[in-house]
Amino acid sequence: AQSVAQPEDQVNVAEGNPLTVKCTYSVSGNPYLFWYVQYPNRGLQFLLKYITGDNLVKGSYGFEAEFNKSQTSFHLKKPSALVSDSALYFCASMNTGFQKLVFGTGTRLLVSP
Amino acid sequence: EAGVAQSPRYKIIEKRQSVAFWCNPISGHATLYWYQQILGQGPKLLIQFQNNGVVDDSQLPKDRFSAERLKGVDSTLKIQPAKLEDSAVYLCASSLEPWGRGSPLHFGNGTRLTVT
């Protein structure tokens, strides 16, 4: 069965500092991995995905994620955090069959001025 | 392009009442999903449609929840009768490609249901 773990409930970072939000996965076969962001009272917005190819994936708003097969991780990163990045971030995995997307429990990112 | 539309945005009902949510996916998207997001948790898939056929409803509480996607476009999700634990945000999403391609899901803003 596929699953995703986000070990941190909350990540705090100062504006201008680099940020990392952690995610590990358990998927049989080749994983499709995603990051979504959720702002208050809004749906989830797609940030980026890993399907195949380069392990470093670039996405929206300056975010990137690094796929590490040996550590089964897909951490979200940004070189310089903004206060407006404060939101709830979800990692998700998709199987290669019926496109079922399974989410982690989410990590709240708080960027302080 | 227009996004996924959901209505209503908010709904408050008493337990044992019924409620229905509506979703209009992005035009041309073959796959439609309903997710339940309880406060403090990640979204959980309730049901997935491929055109107007059900692909996965393994986590749908079928004794009280039902969903349909007539003509392979709009969809409705119904709860009857509602329980207190059904209080959650119900998210609809759609994706362009049917399967195997890693097509991202596009989400609506959700319907926040409060059962009192």
Side-chain angles (χ1 to χ4, degrees):
Chain A
Q2 62 185 100
S3 66
V4 172
Q6 294 182 244
E8 303 154 316
D9 290 335
Q10 182 163 314
V11 170
N12 298 304
V13 64
E15 188 174 32
N17 284 357
L19 69 88
T20 298
V21 183
K22 296 179 179 178
C23 171
T24 58
Y25 65 89
S26 174
V27 177
S28 58
N30 296 320
Y32 294 167
L33 299 166
F34 298 77
W35 276 100
Y36 282 81
V37 60
Q38 187 174 36
Y39 296 100
N41 298 316
R42 300 293 299 274
L44 283 79
Q45 296 179 30
F46 168 72
L47 279 180
L48 50 81
K49 68 177 181 180
Y50 172 82
I51 303 297
T52 186
D54 288 342
N55 290 341
L56 187 64
V57 178
K58 294 188 183 297
S60 306
Y61 313 119
F63 284 93
E64 56 190 29
E66 186 170 10
F67 172 69
N68 188 316
K69 188 172 184 178
S70 63
Q71 296 184 7
T72 61
S73 68
F74 189 57
H75 300 333
L76 181 70
K77 300 181 179 183
K78 188 173 182 181
S80 179
L82 300 172
V83 172
S84 57
D85 292 330
S86 298
L88 193 54
Y89 290 81
F90 289 96
C91 183
S93 69
M94 179 184 285
N95 59 9
T96 56
F98 288 102
Q99 297 250 128
K100 177 178 178 177
L101 195 62
V102 174
F103 287 89
T105 52
T107 298
R108 186 166 301 281
L109 174 66
L110 184 59
V111 182
S112 55
Chain B
E1 64 181 2
V4 176
Q6 288 189 249
S7 66
R9 285 300 312 272
Y10 305 94
K11 190 74 176 178
I12 301 174
I13 62 172
E14 295 181 352
K15 59 183 179 183
R16 292 188 289 273
Q17 286 186 325
S18 63
V19 65
F21 313 127
W22 174 82
C23 173
N24 185 19
I26 294 173
S27 178
H29 280 198
T31 312
L32 185 146
Y33 311 75
W34 283 102
Y35 280 84
Q36 179 193 56
Q37 185 177 18
I38 293 174
L39 186 64
Q41 299 181 19
K44 181 184 81 172
L45 179 67
L46 291 176
I47 189 167
Q48 178 180 345
F49 292 94
Q50 180 64 35
N51 296 312
N52 61 349
V54 175
V55 172
D56 186 339
D57 63 357
S58 58
Q59 297 192 88
L60 187 74
K62 299 180 186 63
D63 58 333
R64 299 184 299 106
F65 285 65
S66 64
E68 60 182 8
R69 191 184 184 195
L70 300 177
K71 301 181 181 178
V73 182
D74 293 6
S75 177
T76 56
L77 176 70
K78 297 179 181 178
I79 307 175
Q80 182 179 4
K83 292 185 176 181
L84 295 177
E85 60 259 36
D86 297 333
S87 293
V89 176
Y90 291 85
L91 296 165
C92 180
S94 67
S95 67
L96 177 62
E97 295 172 311
W99 55 16
R101 305 285 185 89
S103 179
L105 277 64
H106 300 265
F107 285 82
N109 286 331
T111 296
R112 182 178 297 276
L113 173 67
T114 302
V115 182
T116 62

